[in-house]
Amino acid sequence: MTIATFLISDIAEPLSVCQVASLYGAVASEKIRYFRSMADKKRTEIDWQDVRIFLALARHGSLSAAARTLSVNHGTIARRLHSLEESVGEKLVERRADGYVLTPAGAQALEAASVMEQAARILGRGLMGGAPSGLVRINAPPALSSGFLTSRLATVVSRHSKIDIELAADHRSVSLERHEADVAIRFGKPEDGDVLARPLVTAGYGFYGTDDACRSVEAGADPVFIGFDEADAYLPEATWMARHFPRGRLAFRVADQFAQSMAARSGAGLALLPHYIGRSDPLLRICDLGPVPASKDIFLLTRRRDRDDRTIRVALDEIVAIFQQESDIFN
C-alpha cells in the first residue's frame, strides 16, 4: 500500500489530489527530519587525539610524514582521520597523486583545530609554576640554521630550563598560519598572511676561500667555484652565479652554504657565502671578484595571535638579542 492510499483509506471523506499531495509532502518532510536527527545522533564528541592526527596530516600532506612526526603507523593516521570526519560529519581531506589536500570543510577545521592546539599548549604552560615553558618550533633557511643559529639558540634552554627549542631548516617558506612552525626567520618581508614581521639584520655576501685559493686568483688564475647542487639550482644565489660566471668551473656542489663553507676551507675553491658564515670561519678570508649579490633583509616572523604567548615571546626576545649582539658579522 502506498503512503497516499494509506492516508486516503484512513480518512472518512475522500481527499482531493492536492490534499493528498500536501499530506504526502508532510510525511516526506518528517522522514527527512528523522534521518537528519539519526545522523546527528551518530556524531560523537571530538577526540583531541583525532585532532592531533588531522593537524599533522594537514601540515605535512602525507600519511608517511604525519606518521613520522607523531611516531605512529599509517593505520593509526587513517583510523583517527576517519574518526574525526565521522565526528564532524564532513569530509576533511582528499587524496591526490601528490598527497593529501584539504577540502573547504577541512580548511575551516584546520583553523579551529589550530586554535584548540594553541589553547592546549597555553593551558599546559600555565600549569608549570608560572614560568614560561613548553616547546617552541623555529624554522629558518639551512645556511642560517647551521651557520649561525644552532650554536647560539642551544644556549637558550640553559637559561630557560622549562623551554624546549626545535630548530628546523628548510629552503621553502613554511606556513605559520598552518602551524608548521611557531616562529620563522626569513630573508625578505612577507607580503601577506596574518603575521608580525620584525626586521633583524641585513645580510651581505662575498666570495670566500682559503688564503692559498684567494692568492691564486689574485695572481691571475681563473677562479674555481663551490656552489649549489642541481636540485637547488633555482635558489637566488645559484641563479646569480649562473648569470655572472656562466663559464666558471663549479668544482664542488652541495645543498647549502654552510656545507659550501666546509668545502671552501678544505681548499676546493671559492664559495659565494653570506658574511655571517664567511667571517665566522678563521680558515677563510674574503676574495674580491667584483660585484656580489645585493644584501638581503632578515625578518623574524610569528603569528599575530601568538603575541601574548609568554613562551613564544621569550623565544622571540632571545632571537632578537642574538642577532643584535652579532650584527657586525652580517654586513
Side-chain angles (χ1 to χ4, degrees), residues 90-208:
E90 297 280 356
K91 188 73 173 174
L92 301 179
V93 300
E94 292 180 353
R95 185 173 184 177
R96 296 183 181 175
D98 57 347
Y100 287 81
V101 297
L102 296 175
T103 64
Q108 294 182 6
L110 176 61
E111 183 176 353
S114 297
V115 173
M116 291 175 64
E117 181 186 48
Q118 183 183 16
R121 186 169 60 241
I122 292 173
L123 178 62
R125 290 169 179 171
L127 299 177
M128 300 294 291
S133 61
L135 175 66
V136 180
R137 298 168 300 149
I138 301 170
N139 187 277
L144 191 60
S145 294
S146 301
F148 181 75
L149 283 171
T150 298
S151 60
R152 295 162 176 84
L153 270 179
T155 64
V156 173
V157 298
S158 63
R159 291 192 293 275
H160 302 277
S161 60
K162 295 179 181 179
I163 294 179
D164 301 326
I165 299 292
E166 176 183 291
L167 177 60
D170 208 324
H171 283 306
R172 71 183 181 91
S173 296
V174 302
S175 171
L176 295 177
E177 284 300 300
R178 292 168 67 93
H179 285 248
E180 294 177 340
D182 300 307
V183 177
I185 302 172
R186 283 285 173 263
F187 289 92
K189 187 175 182 180
E191 298 298 327
D192 53 15
D194 189 27
V195 299
L196 297 173
R198 177 173 182 173
L200 290 171
V201 293
T202 299
Y205 292 83
F207 287 97
Y208 286 85

Side-chain angles (χ1 to χ4, degrees), residues 43-72:
R43 297 183 184 180
T44 58
E45 294 292 331
I46 299 295
D47 188 326
W48 170 240
Q49 296 306 317
D50 295 346
V51 176
R52 289 181 64 244
I53 293 290
F54 168 68
L55 284 168
L57 184 60
R59 289 166 183 167
H60 296 286
S62 74
L63 289 178
S64 298
R68 285 195 302 270
T69 300
L70 299 177
S71 299
V72 298

Side-chain angles (χ1 to χ4, degrees), residues 66-85:
R68 285 195 302 270
T69 300
L70 299 177
S71 299
V72 298
N73 58 42
H74 290 196
T76 299
I77 300 290
R79 177 172 54 81
R80 289 285 189 179
L81 175 62
H82 179 71
S83 174
L84 181 62
E85 289 180 331

Side-chain angles (χ1 to χ4, degrees), residues 15-25:
L15 300 176
S16 68
V17 173
C18 291
Q19 288 173 317
V20 170
S22 177
L23 287 169
Y24 182 87

